[in-house]
Amino acid sequence: MSSPLRREEVAHVAKLARLSLTDAELDLFTEQLGQVLEHANDMNSLNLEGVVATAHPFGLTNVVRPDEVRTSLDRDEVLAMAPDAQDGRFSVPRIMGEAP
Amino acid sequence: MTLPNGWEIVVGLEVHTELKTASKMFCGCANSFGAEPNTNICPVCLGLPGALPVLNERAVELAMAIGMALNSTIAPSTFHRKNYFYPDMPKDFQISQYDLPINVGGYLDLPDASRVSIERAHLEEDTGKSTHLGGTGRLQGADRSLVDYNRSGVPLVEIVSGPDIRSSAQARAYAQELRGILIATGASDGRMEEGSMRIDANVSIRKAEAPFGTRCEIKNLNSLRSLQRAIDYEALRQVELLEGGGTVRQETRHWDELRGETSTMRVKEDADDYRYFREPDLVDLAPDQSWQDRIRAGLLPMPAERRQKLAALLSDLSVAHLDAVEVVINLGLDDLVMRAVDGGVDVTLAISRAANELAANIDEVKNFSSESFTATLLMEQQGELSATQAKTVLTELLTHGGDPHDVVTKMGFEQLSASSLGATVAALIEEHPEEWTRYRDGDEKLAQFFIGQVMKLTKGQANGKSVVAELQARR
Amino acid sequence: MKTAVQIASEVQGGATSAHEQLSLSLDAVRARNEELHVFLHVDEAGARVAAARVDDLIARGENAGPLAGVPIAIKDNVCQRGVPTTCGSKILQGWRPPYSATVIDRLLAAGAVPVGKTNLDEFAMGSSTENSAFGPTRNPLSPSRVPGGSSGGSAAAVAADMTPLAIGSDTGGSIRQPAALCGLVGVKPTYGLVSRYGLIAFSSSLDQIGPFAKTVTDAATLLEVLAGHDLMDSTSLPEPSPSLVAHLNDGVAGKRIGVVSELIEGADDEIVREIHRALQVFRDAGATVVELSIPELRLGLSAYYLIAPAEASSNLARYDGVRYGLRVDADDVTAMNEATRTAGFGDEVKRRIMLGTYALSAGYYDAYYGQALKVRTQMIDAFARAYREVDFLVGATTPTVAFAIGEKASNPMAMYLSDVFTIPTNLAGEAAITVPFGTGEADLPIGVQLLGPGRSEALLFSAARVLELADGRP
């Protein structure tokens, strides 16, 4: 059965998700994801016109907190778990492009 | 600047302002500028596994205040996730508002009576800040970056104008007026140089009435002057490009203030798929009428209203006066001026001194009392101080503080006594018989000559009106 | 092994100490952990401190809480300050959270003694605990079989008598399914009843933390401790913790019960048999049983396998090698992100991230994720219509008893189908409990599922109690 997904789409999605897939994985995922999406076509059996997505199941709204300062984390404790840190900051290899 | 060959500039502005809240948007970390790196962070704003956002009430209120000041509709709204990877984003998604923002529509009327529409204003969280090592300090050429998350999670409101702006001057006026509003609502301190207010300009060109052309987004505008220069540069660049047979590519461009030009930063491509979806960790916002009413009731007068109030007191609405009013309003000095007027000071005098001496020392104004301002100007008005002396006293009070009367004494600015003034004038009349004859015969302009001479002799201690009185008495 | 309620009573009364109960628990852990691979980390030092605190309170004549001295196992996707928390993944191997989840604070305040972190399917994605990066957990009742998932370790801890209580998380059945396969009581509370602050997110709109126990009373006692409004979780229900234990013996006389065909179809015969037996128990106890069909439930699997991966793809983006966890170095940050995530995530996690990213991507949102959200609304409405007719529903928890390790591992779709009866409750945000009731093939336990509207835990517990008593368990 051919997948509703094209291999190039899966490759593009992998890039968006910051995952590198081998060719074998690309093929496998294309097939497996395709199966899930094929199965999902059963949703089209319902008439969903005009149906609105539900936000919170019990309709909670306007949950806010007062504008008060609370204690922050200890920087040393936080940086101790960083893969690489310098001068109190998290260090990363060079960034290739500007932020969107 | 008008473009050649019938081209028209089309500009829309996106302004981001940090909100002046005590704590961050979704957590209780302090919202403060200049702290040691990574000292205002917690599981939420660091995006640690398991952390959840809880919305800051004051941020919502300030967003509503901004919307009200911009004549927007306060609408039920939802938060969305904008998904993309970047090291200054701790969750690799930003919580923002997408198709259901808190403020919908609106407009901003500028001092020149033009109106710029507002499309929307919404809430979102700020990102961390990176510094780049191993190059010029800019992103290009760096080999490593260091990230500070103090700014991550700071509340922002983004205000998007319609593409109604038709000149760089109008863009500047819009930014100026918007800043005044943001400051007046208490939402922002409007400091572009500190980054608490950031402006991006979307610039395109077209021939009149034609459909809009492709636009470029210009970033790195750190002052109103940069904003104006960059728009003019970019518009011309696009004209040259199109007239040379090229096409404008939709992209983000970086403004270089030193070189005075824009350059490509990022080409907008399909890779920018943000996969927006409703933020499941937050619930919807639907501020009820009573909450909105409380905010509206607490709003202070906006620049437009204060400008009108001040201008209404002026009998002479010359350009010079209106310019001075602008300076006063933009610098928030109108309160001092109004109090001086209430205290008996002539409004033109108060505006002039505020727009000049106070404006020149704007950072000290916060420590300057309206009593000092009023007292000094009353002395000038009543002839006890000359204009020059009054300006000196104001500057001294601003930079070193003190009491106006003490400063006057300390500087030896006591009024020249009537008799010594009379003697000085008499001596001058003898020294300059020709000028005196012409004045005596009706040439009023020569009064200025004698006033100038008196000033020179008395080192500015005389009062111009008193000198004229002396001259007239001796005619 | 004693129940949690018994232990708490004896510790509070002085007949035993928290220290002693902890020692017994640790002995039980050591006896079988190597064989069964239940705990990824045993926090003996931390547990001793918690036990000492309880014993200290008791010595001063104070109330040490409803779970005084009771050892408890914590699923390893719940943050506990200073204790390694891996989510069953290499990408968080060695990470110690600098903060604790709200539920941990509540457990400690109630006198419970967290003993360690239990194994799970990586990032809670799975139904067998075979997706853990650190090896599967074995079902204590039959070690060649799975304990279920994703909270397999927590279920095994209780089933193996290592601790009388455990907490897990349930997104599509991850508490109820392993509870059923291990012969335990397991609850997915109403969405928002238990704080998610500190629960490492899989699918934010579906996740809930809940209890594992051998008895209904123990489960109710634990849930009372966990539940109630939390300021740190915007989605948490505004009410304080509900009263559950006090209603355990309310019975079901006069109640209307719906047996839902879509929650039984596809289950093995032996399971269907037990469901019918349970219904008879309910009738004998004075309830009326009504047959119902809720066709919308059939779409649950499709909606779930779009909504959950979509949210997960976003929730798991933060694992990028920048701030904590695994980093695989590279020349630029994007390459580093890719190398880190590729090395750090297992196949099932990658599969779901890919599926979720696709479902949200430009051009496909409406057809997949958008559609699934609408199906979810229909399901909520369908349940609401059913609950106008009946007070609660009955169905199977799982289609089969515990299956063999390796049996479904290579077929994701087959694995996904094991959640068909549990998923609808998560989509609706409502409550459900599984109660052990009878046995099937090879004497393996069967679970009967009771489902109710939001905030109906007290009713569900009292109905579960009826079944428990009928099955000869005190």
Side-chain angles (χ1 to χ4, degrees), chain B residues 7 205-206 213-214 236-248:
Chain B
W7 289 105
I205 59 171
R206 65 169 184 179
T214 306
L236 266 175
R237 182 192 78 89
Q238 292 188 15
V239 168
E240 279 162 24
L241 193 53
L242 289 180
E243 292 198 334
T247 51
V248 175

Side-chain angles (χ1 to χ4, degrees), chain C residues 77-78 101 103 167-170 175 187-189 194-199 207-211 223 226:
Chain C
N77 62 353
V78 175
V103 291
I167 58 170
S169 67
D170 190 314
I175 289 175
V187 184
K188 188 210 82 74
V194 179
S195 168
R196 288 183 299 116
Y197 184 73
L199 168 66
D207 294 343
Q208 270 293 280
I209 291 175
L223 186 53
L226 299 173

Side-chain angles (χ1 to χ4, degrees), chain B residues 121-199:
Chain B
H122 69 261
L123 283 160
E124 61 184 32
E125 56 175 347
D126 208 347
T127 66
K129 250 198 288 209
S130 328
T131 38
H132 310 297
L133 302 181
T136 58
R138 275 205 66 205
L139 189 61
Q140 278 79 351
D143 38 41
R144 267 194 314 141
S145 295
L146 300 180
V147 191
D148 169 18
Y149 294 103
N150 279 352
R151 199 184 66 180
S152 155
V154 162
L156 297 177
V157 165
E158 177 180 343
I159 300 151
V160 182
S161 82
D164 302 346
I165 295 169
R166 293 288 173 271
S167 73
S168 62
Q170 192 187 19
R172 184 180 182 142
Y174 171 89
Q176 183 94 281
E177 191 71 5
L178 184 56
R179 179 161 77 184
I181 284 178
L182 293 176
I183 293 172
T185 52
S188 176
D189 57 22
R191 292 185 206 257
M192 285 180 76
E193 66 293 351
E194 265 175 26
S196 63
M197 180 172 156
R198 300 163 220 163
I199 307 185

Side-chain angles (χ1 to χ4, degrees), chain C residues 82-105:
Chain C
V83 180
T85 301
T86 67
C87 277
S89 179
K90 287 192 287 216
I91 218 167
L92 278 180
Q93 195 167 11
W95 182 61
R96 289 170 190 261
Y99 79 106
S100 282
T102 298
V103 291
I104 296 293
D105 294 339

Side-chain angles (χ1 to χ4, degrees), chain C residues 392-456:
Chain C
F392 66 92
L393 304 173
V394 171
T397 309
T398 59
T400 68
V401 297
F403 47 92
I405 290 175
E407 185 181 316
K408 301 192 187 183
S410 53
N411 186 345
M413 264 324 294
M415 191 69 84
Y416 296 168
L417 288 166
S418 6
D419 295 330
V420 66
F421 302 131
T422 47
I423 276 171
T425 312
N426 300 85
L427 288 171
E430 295 175 342
I433 183 171
T434 184
V435 193
F437 199 71
T439 56
E441 167 208 337
D443 259 352
L444 290 163
I446 286 170
V448 171
Q449 190 180 195
L450 311 178
L451 302 79
R455 298 175 169 106
S456 64

